[in-house]
Amino acid sequence: MMGRINKRVLNLITAGAAAFLMAGCSVAKTSNNNGTHQDKDIIKIGVNMELSGAAAGYGNAEKQGIQLAANEINQAGGINVNGQKKKIKLIIRDNKTAIATSASVAAQLATKDKVAAIVGPATTNAGTAEIPNITKASVPSVSPSATDPSYTLQKNGKVQPFVFRACFQNNFQGENAAKFVTNNLKAKRVAILADNSSDYGTGLAKAFRKTYKGRIVDSQTYSEGDKDFNAVLTSFKSKKIDAIYVPGYYTEVGLIIKQARQIGIKIPIIGSDGMADPKLAQIAGDKYATNIYYTTPFSTRVAAKNATAKKFMTEFKNHYNVEAPTFSALAYDSVYMIKTAIENEKSDDSTKIAAGLAKIKDFDGVTGQITVNKTHDPEMPIAIEEMTNGKVSNSFSVE
């Protein structure tokens, strides 16, 4: 998921902060190859996360998954580093959903705190901002939810050596949503209403258009913060469409669903993992959140067949007294991917962890079996959830 940064937040970034970010980019293009080294008894893992600002809902869900994983690992004795058990020490910092802050947080974690690895950020833009500083320090980062296809790649097309993610790309989501609309919903006439605030919504819409076999009757966009969608929805209603594809985040999509249902649009509304949050139904209203579908890397119904996922869901519910959300599951897997890399490489040196992350194969994650490919992207399953009366009522595995 996750490419958007709040435009209002961007407008508040000062010229000095922007200059700092550009300076960081100019001096941090290559790794120093030395990496960071850990203390005798602990392994420091940094968390660069959106805990306030526009993406705080996602960031705080990911923080919960990170903390649960670290607590579990520590209670089991820690991470095995060449025969020695070492406990995880989390160093959690808020990037405030701001690119300049994300860059400075990454520099602090990598060079001052000397963490072995970083989990986060949640969004592609904040994640991209940290890349120069983690590369300079040779510290790997695993984002639970940065989904832009170019996130793990340099401008020349080569892989970013210290950048990894635990989620699939936007184009994979858009393609599978189109297949589902074509094959499962049998929708022959579709309208698209996409978030144009970032590459997240526009990238998903592009992938959907490329794969969808029916007719796209109309295609419109909206911006982050928009609240009135009645005009465009009324236009859609007059065009005899079979479904609406709405790639975006729960904040706006919840309102779109509510307003669509209020004017009598009852057809399926399909979206992306940005909808995979309980707040979607809170905004839309339970009675309106019916005949809703979205792509997701983690479905509780699909996961119920997976022993690793079942254990996670039970422990999450016991710990936080709520059902485990998608972004907590992705973050939980991110921590265990770092653990796996350390144990496979028999080293907690940050450069060795990066090498270990690149070699992960058939990792048994909460979100399914994961293999990291040559572009540092996980090859993993995707699911589609259906929502009825504000609750997940069905799920579909997509091949």
Side-chain angles (χ1 to χ4, degrees), residues 62-291:
E62 294 185 8
K63 177 185 172 184
Q64 289 182 322
I66 292 164
Q67 291 176 318
L68 182 64
N71 289 341
E72 278 183 11
I73 292 167
N74 286 344
Q75 288 172 7
I79 298 176
N80 187 345
V81 186
N82 201 23
Q84 179 189 359
K85 288 278 191 173
K86 300 177 72 169
K87 299 289 183 71
I88 293 173
K89 179 181 179 181
L90 292 177
I91 301 177
I92 301 173
R93 301 195 184 280
D94 180 12
N95 65 41
K96 302 180 181 180
T97 318
I99 58 174
T101 307
S102 178
S104 62
V105 164
Q108 186 169 13
L109 289 171
T111 60
K112 181 180 178 181
D113 300 319
K114 296 190 181 300
V115 298
I118 294 171
V119 180
T123 60
T124 299
N125 288 354
T128 301
E130 81 168 2
I131 292 175
N133 290 327
I134 66 170
T135 302
K136 183 180 180 183
S138 299
V139 173
S141 173
V142 181
S143 173
S145 52
T147 55
D148 187 78
S150 63
Y151 175 63
T152 59
L153 301 176
Q154 301 176 48
K155 289 183 179 179
N156 61 9
K158 293 183 179 179
V159 68
Q160 294 280 7
F162 296 96
V163 180
F164 301 83
R165 55 178 149 201
C167 55
F168 42 60
Q169 301 179 36
N170 288 339
N171 49 10
F172 186 59
Q173 286 200 77
E175 291 165 3
N176 279 282
K179 291 176 183 177
F180 179 79
V181 169
T182 302
N183 300 329
N184 296 68
L185 298 182
K186 309 296 183 184
K188 296 180 179 180
R189 294 169 58 87
V190 169
I192 297 174
L193 181 54
D195 179 358
N196 67 357
S197 302
S198 74
D199 290 339
Y200 178 65
T202 55
L204 283 162
K206 181 179 178 180
F208 182 91
R209 287 190 198 96
K210 185 177 179 180
T211 305
Y212 178 58
K213 301 301 183 184
R215 180 182 174 188
I216 296 175
V217 177
D218 197 0
S219 183
Q220 300 292 332
T221 62
Y222 65 88
S223 295
E224 176 209 345
D226 286 353
K227 297 185 182 303
D228 186 354
F229 305 94
N230 279 290
V232 67
L233 291 169
T234 300
S235 174
F236 285 173
K237 185 180 179 182
S238 69
K239 294 178 180 177
K240 298 180 180 180
I241 53 177
D242 301 317
I244 304 174
Y245 183 55
V246 189
Y249 300 98
Y250 64 79
T251 43
E252 289 79 26
V253 179
L255 290 173
I256 291 169
I257 292 169
K258 181 177 183 178
Q259 292 170 26
R261 300 309 189 221
Q262 285 176 334
I263 64 170
I265 296 176
K266 298 180 181 180
I267 58 176
I269 296 175
I270 304 94
S272 52
D273 61 345
M275 294 166 60
D277 190 287
K279 295 184 182 67
L280 178 77
Q282 294 173 18
I283 294 169
D286 287 349
K287 69 177 181 179
Y288 295 128
T290 293
N291 210 9

Side-chain angles (χ1 to χ4, degrees), residues 16-38:
F20 165 80
L21 179 59
M22 293 304 293
C25 291
S26 66
V27 299
K29 291 181 180 178
T30 58
S31 165
N32 62 19
N33 294 318
N34 293 325
T36 59
H37 305 278
Q38 298 302 295

Side-chain angles (χ1 to χ4, degrees), residues 286-303:
D286 287 349
K287 69 177 181 179
Y288 295 128
T290 293
N291 210 9
I292 306 299
Y293 303 84
Y294 52 84
T295 48
T296 177
F298 178 71
S299 167
T300 54
R301 287 175 171 262
V302 174

